[in-house]
């Protein structure tokens, strides 16, 4: 007898789901039976990402959207319901960086990062809360960061946005718990993505020296944890921040 995939019949939305960690999360959820909606601003990457999910036997839809705009976030929810009739899982993964020392950090770069990383997550949560409450079931996972827990020089805007997601997670978890909706955050450390690939070898070795497990993480390392938090097995876990950082934050 074949076990039923644990996300069979579930519909999952992954913002920023075409690249890097978001793509790994979307692929993992799809491989376990979820129907996927991925969002992003890069149409070519979206088409390539959803094409890969379909080629692997999954089902999904790509929606071009800027989650920092309320109407776009609402449209993602509307298109999800139109396509699949329900929305079970929301992974707020979309994020940007605009790094600089605080005394040189422009107001524009501050706003850009906070608008996408923190406000965008709020707007998507607000949009998807209503259908989840009607279903009396839902999983929301917000992508924070190890630097949101530790701080990092040159990233005041990014750190503030990721620390803000921790507070947002805990507040919303308390609001939605009575409707069987869990809200958690994942705080990745340094992960092998396009952003870390451009770092020099010396920088990479210095990073590894700060990590007790002695390596950078992979997008799949993060996807494993997100999949658990989205599952029935994590039904008694809410308001938590789970670090996936090789022990860096200890």
């Amino acid at each position: 007898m074949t076990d039923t995939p644990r996300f069979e019949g579930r519909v999952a939305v992954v913002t920023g789901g075409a690249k890097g960690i978001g793509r790994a999360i979307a692929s993992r959820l799809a491989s376990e039976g979820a129907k996927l909606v991925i969002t992003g601003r890069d149409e070519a990457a979206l088409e390539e990402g959803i094409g890969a999910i379909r080629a692997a036997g999954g089902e999904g839809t790509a929606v071009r959207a800027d989650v920092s705009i309320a109407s776009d976030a609402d449209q993602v929810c509307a298109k999800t319901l139109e396509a699949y009739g329900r929305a079970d899982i929301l992974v707020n993964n979309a994020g940007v960086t605009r790094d600089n020392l605080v005394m040189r950090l422009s107001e524009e770069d501050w706003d850009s990062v906070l608008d996408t990383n923190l406000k965008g997550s709020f707007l998507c949560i607000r949009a998807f809360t209503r259908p989840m409450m009607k279903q009396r079931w839902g999983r929301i996972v917000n992508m924070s960061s190890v630097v949101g827990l530790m701080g990092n020089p040159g990233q005041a805007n990014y750190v503030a946005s990721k620390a803000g997601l921790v507070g947002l997670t805990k507040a919303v978890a308390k609001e939605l718990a009575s409707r069987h909706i869990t809200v958690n955050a994942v705080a990745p450390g340094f992960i092998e993505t396009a952003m870390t690939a451009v770092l020099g070898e010396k920088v990479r070795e210095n990073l590894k020296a700060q990590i007790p497990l002695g390596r950078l993480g992979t997008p799949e390392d993060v996807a494993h944890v997100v999949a658990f938090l989205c599952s029935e097995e994590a039904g008694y876990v809410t308001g938590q921040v789970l670090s996936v950082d090789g022990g860096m934050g200890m």
Side-chain angles (χ1 to χ4, degrees), residues 2-3 13 22 43 48 50 54 71 77 177 184 190 219 232 241:
T2 304
D3 290 337
V13 179
E43 285 193 44
E48 203 272 330
I50 208 66
R54 292 170 180 162
S71 59
C77 184
N184 292 287
F190 287 100
E232 290 283 1
V241 182

Side-chain angles (χ1 to χ4, degrees), residues 8-51:
E8 185 76 34
R10 299 294 187 195
V11 177
V13 179
V14 181
T15 69
K19 301 176 183 177
I21 292 172
R23 179 163 175 167
I25 292 167
S27 296
R28 175 61 183 271
L29 296 177
S31 74
E32 296 197 53
K35 295 179 177 66
L36 261 294
V37 176
I38 64 170
T39 80
R41 294 184 289 192
D42 184 335
E43 285 193 44
L46 282 171
E47 287 306 312
E48 203 272 330
I50 208 66

Side-chain angles (χ1 to χ4, degrees), residues 42-165:
D42 184 335
E43 285 193 44
L46 282 171
E47 287 306 312
E48 203 272 330
I50 208 66
I53 287 173
R54 292 170 180 162
E59 184 177 346
T61 302
V63 179
R64 187 182 182 282
D66 180 343
V67 295
S68 70
I69 301 170
S71 59
D72 277 24
D74 291 342
Q75 185 181 51
V76 172
C77 184
K79 288 189 174 181
T80 300
L81 298 177
E82 181 183 331
Y84 301 116
R86 61 185 298 119
D88 303 287
I89 294 164
L90 171 65
V91 181
N92 283 309
N93 170 77
V96 297
T97 57
R98 299 285 186 273
D99 297 349
N100 216 329
L101 295 174
V102 69
M103 63 183 174
R104 297 176 184 156
L105 188 62
S106 70
E107 185 177 356
E108 181 183 4
D109 283 348
W110 174 272
D111 288 346
S112 174
V113 171
L114 270 290
D115 282 353
T116 297
N117 300 7
L118 183 56
K119 181 183 175 184
S121 296
F122 151 68
L123 291 173
C124 288
I125 290 170
R126 186 177 68 177
F128 281 92
T129 292
R130 194 175 301 277
M132 288 183 179
M133 289 179 72
K134 287 181 180 177
Q135 293 164 191
R136 298 188 67 83
W137 197 96
R139 297 283 187 266
I140 298 172
V141 179
N142 298 318
M143 299 304 294
S144 183
S145 168
V146 64
V147 301
L149 306 177
M150 297 172 59
N152 200 38
Q155 288 194 305
N157 48 0
Y158 186 77
V159 169
S161 72
K162 295 301 185 178
L165 281 172

